[in-house]
Amino acid sequence: MQWIFALALGYALGSVPFGLIITRIAGAGDLRSIGSGNIGATNVLRTGRKGLAAATLLLDLLKGLAAVLIAAVLWPASVWLAALGAFLGHCFPVWLKFRGGKGVATTAGIAFGLAWPVGLAYALTWIGLLLTVKISSVAGMTAAVVAPLVALALGHQDAALVLAVIAAIVLFQHRENIARLRAGTEPRVGGSKKS
């Protein structure tokens, strides 16, 4: 039964829509009616409130980390399910009719929780590309793909497997971004188009 509890814990934590909550409390309106309608930090940035975007990113990261760390104490054999649950909860929250975020920040927290060197590789890839390429989707997708490869290289097979599944879903979640990248119309950070 522990696998059910781990999955449920992860999903419950992951499904908390911090971006939506924070923007409403701050009086920035309904995040789902802004930009792409996404509840993640990139779309929060489109409100023009960098502080809110930073807070959303941090909280989305922390919920992934918390799910893994709590499960590691309570149900160590099912940590990977808590990780997957947190990711799925963020992307497909039942409270928002399964329309959530794309999971990039939450995956960062998951990666740090599973193995901190993997999380560090994820963060460096993500931030490095964000600063150089300045395209949020490219940074997020690349970091998601790098994480399972680094986990595998460092001998974290279980982490590599769950991160590979997560990476596949991250790429699926970014299918519209991929189409815009191919068309050369994907916006850079600070733009107003969908992301």
Side-chain angles (χ1 to χ4, degrees):
M1 289 293 289
Q2 69 172 352
W3 69 270
I4 296 177
F5 294 127
L7 186 62
L9 169 75
Y11 186 88
L13 288 172
S15 66
V16 178
F18 285 116
L20 185 63
I21 293 169
I22 288 173
T23 49
R24 279 190 173 175
I25 290 175
D30 188 337
L31 189 59
R32 293 168 296 181
S33 65
I34 298 170
S36 64
N38 193 278
I39 64 168
T42 299
N43 204 40
V44 174
L45 190 59
R46 292 196 179 87
T47 66
R49 311 277 285 275
K50 293 181 180 179
L52 297 184
T56 299
L57 189 151
L58 180 61
L59 289 169
D60 282 348
L61 186 153
L62 288 176
K63 67 186 182 183
L65 177 63
V68 172
L69 295 183
I70 293 171
V73 173
L74 300 177
W75 315 287
S78 299
V79 167
W80 68 277
L81 277 168
L84 185 60
F87 176 79
L88 293 175
H90 177 78
C91 294
F92 311 107
V94 64
W95 336 108
L96 301 180
K97 298 180 180 178
F98 304 104
R99 295 185 62 188
K102 294 182 179 177
V104 175
T106 303
T107 302
I110 289 168
F112 272 110
L114 292 173
W116 72 263
V118 177
L120 183 60
Y122 184 103
L124 290 175
T125 302
W126 183 20
I127 295 170
L129 285 174
L130 200 57
L131 292 175
T132 55
V133 179
K134 298 187 182 300
I135 300 178
S136 179
S137 60
V138 170
M141 288 188 290
T142 305
V145 171
V146 164
L149 297 176
V150 172
L152 190 61
L154 295 178
H156 300 290
Q157 285 87 355
D158 289 345
L161 180 59
V162 69
L163 287 170
V165 172
I166 287 173
I169 301 173
V170 166
L171 293 177
F172 175 78
Q173 291 288 86
H174 284 83
R175 59 196 181 279
E176 293 180 2
N177 302 84
I178 293 171
R180 289 196 295 271
L181 285 167
R182 294 178 65 182
T185 59
E186 180 72 344
R188 294 180 181 273
V189 173
S192 60
K193 295 179 183 180
K194 293 184 178 182
S195 174

